[in-house]
Amino acid sequence: EPEVTQTPSHQVTQMGQEVILRCVPISNHLYFYWYRQILGQKVEFLVSFYNNEISEKSEIFDDQFSVERPDGSNFTLKIRSTKLEDSAMYFCASNGQGNQPQHFGDGTRLSIL
Amino acid sequence: DQQVKQNSPSLSVQEGRISILNCDYTNSMFDYFLWYKKYPAEGPTFLISISSIKDKNEDGRFTVFLNKSAKHLSLHIVPSQPGDSAVYFCAASDGGGTSYGKLTFGQGTILTVHP
């Protein structure tokens, strides 16, 4: 069964550094998402992406965050200047249409020191 | 953000019995609801969904019930198996509105099925 893959599984970064989290969505999917889960808290929506542009973003997704689909397969989340509070699990998801079940990757654990 | 709430942090059931997981929501614009299962160190895995035009959807051992007037949904697992032990998340989206595709999650319920 096709799956969403995320790399790396764990990223450790110094505060203030830039980090790029990578995702390969399911190949025929058109809608892409990033969510995060801070330890002990809910899974929170960050951003949705369709047709090479952001469809919606949450309040969390400020100017430090950006997303890109640099080629036909990858979908990336960049955090320009990381803060301690960015430490969380980041999940990528995709679906074929906006109102179909989203399929999630196994996440990247981001640790900011 | 308390739009989706799972009030039971944990549930423990015996193998072979029914597991009932509950979820409440407050946003009347939600029209699509999903249940996900999550094991440690893995991402959420889609289990079953229901559209607001239905009140029940069944897939094998899993059945989701939706009560729109009470803004309540539940997931029934019958019979429960030890492999069902995981965290279960309820999620909702407003597919017909401006938040197309965005999922709002509950806090999760840890289900433990004892042999």
Side-chain angles (χ1 to χ4, degrees), chain A residues 31 33 35 37 41-45 48 55-56 58 89 91 95 97-107, chain B residues 1-4 31-32 34 36 38 41-44 46 49 89 93 95 98-103 105-107:
Chain A
Y31 294 80
Y33 310 85
Y35 294 83
Q37 186 179 28
Q41 298 186 24
K42 290 186 178 185
V43 177
E44 303 173 286
F45 168 80
S48 58
S55 305
E56 186 177 2
S58 71
M89 281 293 291
F91 295 106
N95 59 3
Q97 292 182 27
N99 211 23
Q100 287 181 344
Q102 293 174 27
H103 296 269
F104 285 75
D106 285 340
Chain B
D1 179 0
Q2 294 292 309
Q3 295 188 77
V4 178
D31 62 359
Y32 184 56
L34 309 91
Y36 284 86
K38 186 180 181 303
E42 294 185 12
F46 169 70
S49 63
F89 291 100
S93 76
T98 58
S99 297
Y100 199 64
K102 167 190 170 184
L103 293 179
F105 281 83
Q107 305 95 313

Side-chain angles (χ1 to χ4, degrees), chain B residues 28-82:
Chain B
S28 58
M29 297 300 292
F30 287 148
D31 62 359
Y32 184 56
F33 305 89
L34 309 91
W35 284 95
Y36 284 86
K37 177 171 74 173
K38 186 180 181 303
Y39 294 119
E42 294 185 12
T45 299
F46 169 70
L47 274 177
I48 192 168
S49 63
I50 188 166
S51 161
S52 60
I53 62 173
K54 295 184 173 183
D55 54 18
K56 177 183 173 181
N57 189 26
E58 193 171 351
D59 183 2
R61 298 186 297 116
F62 302 92
T63 303
V64 56
F65 295 92
L66 175 62
N67 182 334
K68 287 187 292 293
S69 60
K71 293 191 176 67
H72 177 84
L73 63 154
S74 60
L75 174 68
H76 292 210
I77 306 174
V78 184
S80 302
Q81 299 172 353

Side-chain angles (χ1 to χ4, degrees), chain A residues 46-99:
Chain A
L46 290 177
V47 65
S48 58
F49 190 87
Y50 169 71
N51 200 26
N52 280 320
E53 61 182 26
I54 291 173
S55 305
E56 186 177 2
K57 58 184 180 181
S58 71
E59 292 175 355
I60 303 166
F61 195 89
D62 61 22
D63 292 343
Q64 294 301 313
F65 290 85
S66 62
V67 289
E68 193 178 30
R69 188 152 163 84
D71 52 43
S73 59
N74 289 283
F75 179 52
T76 62
L77 174 69
K78 181 193 290 186
I79 309 175
R80 287 190 188 80
S81 178
T82 50
K83 308 184 197 65
L84 292 176
E85 54 264 37
D86 293 329
S87 295
M89 281 293 291
Y90 287 80
F91 295 106
C92 173
S94 69
N95 59 3
Q97 292 182 27
N99 211 23

